[in-house]
Amino acid sequence: MTTEKLVNKALFGKTELATQKVELGKLDDIEKAKSNSLAKIKNHFNKRDVWGSESNKVLGLVGDIERKGIELKKEANLLDKELVNIYTEISNLKKQADSLGLELPQSLNLLDGVSISAYGNKFADTNIIVDEFKSKLK
């Protein structure tokens, strides 16, 4: 064989081995990258599942709170109407007492030491508090 052929044969053989080493190295790198990605993907899905579970709990609590808020508003409105009826009865009774020259006790306008009309404002506060909370959820 000529020197040129020997050199080409030697170079060709080495080049082929080097190429095979590079390709095997790339395969190892790809497998490591896949393994790392898979671990990150599994971790991501686990975190997503936990988040979803926690979110569902929060949504359930929010739903319960919204229902309770609606019930509080209904109750406040009913109680306010009751107090309006009582106040109306007191006013009518005062008119009758005045026409007869009688004086009714001042405590008649009080409920637990607070004027009956003041409670109406407190019921309005219940509606405002519930509505403000609802607006914060949006």
Side-chain angles (χ1 to χ4, degrees):
M1 263 190 186
T2 65
T3 306
E4 187 178 325
K5 285 183 182 179
L6 287 172
V7 170
N8 282 337
K9 188 176 181 181
L11 284 177
F12 179 73
K14 285 183 182 178
T15 303
E16 191 175 302
L17 288 176
T19 302
Q20 288 173 355
K21 270 187 173 179
V22 168
E23 288 174 4
L24 288 175
K26 284 182 184 180
L27 286 175
D28 287 343
D29 291 346
I30 289 170
E31 288 302 320
K32 285 179 188 175
K34 284 172 43 179
S35 178
N36 287 337
S37 291
L38 182 60
K40 290 176 186 177
I41 288 168
K42 286 180 179 181
N43 186 38
H44 167 79
F45 290 145
N46 286 336
K47 289 190 293 187
R48 183 190 66 188
D49 292 345
V50 168
W51 174 83
S53 175
E54 291 171 350
S55 297
N56 286 333
K57 287 178 187 175
V58 168
L59 289 174
L61 289 173
V62 168
D64 289 345
I65 289 170
E66 285 181 324
R67 282 186 290 282
K68 287 177 183 178
I70 290 167
E71 290 301 315
L72 275 173
K73 286 176 70 171
K74 286 179 185 176
E75 183 178 56
N77 291 333
L78 289 173
L79 289 169
D80 189 44
K81 286 178 184 176
E82 279 183 29
L83 289 182
V84 166
N85 290 338
I86 292 170
Y87 189 77
T88 301
E89 290 294 322
I90 292 170
S91 295
N92 291 337
L93 188 59
K94 276 189 178 185
K95 287 178 189 175
Q96 289 175 358
D98 287 345
S99 71
L100 295 172
L102 299 172
E103 197 171 306
L104 296 175
Q106 289 294 327
S107 63
L108 197 59
N109 282 328
L110 300 178
L111 186 61
D112 198 31
V114 178
S115 96
I116 291 175
S117 59
Y119 278 96
N121 293 333
K122 292 181 183 201
F123 293 130
D125 289 346
T126 297
N127 288 318
I128 291 168
I129 291 166
V130 171
D131 290 342
E132 283 177 351
F133 181 78
K134 276 182 75 174
S135 71
K136 288 178 183 178
L137 292 176
K138 294 179 181 180

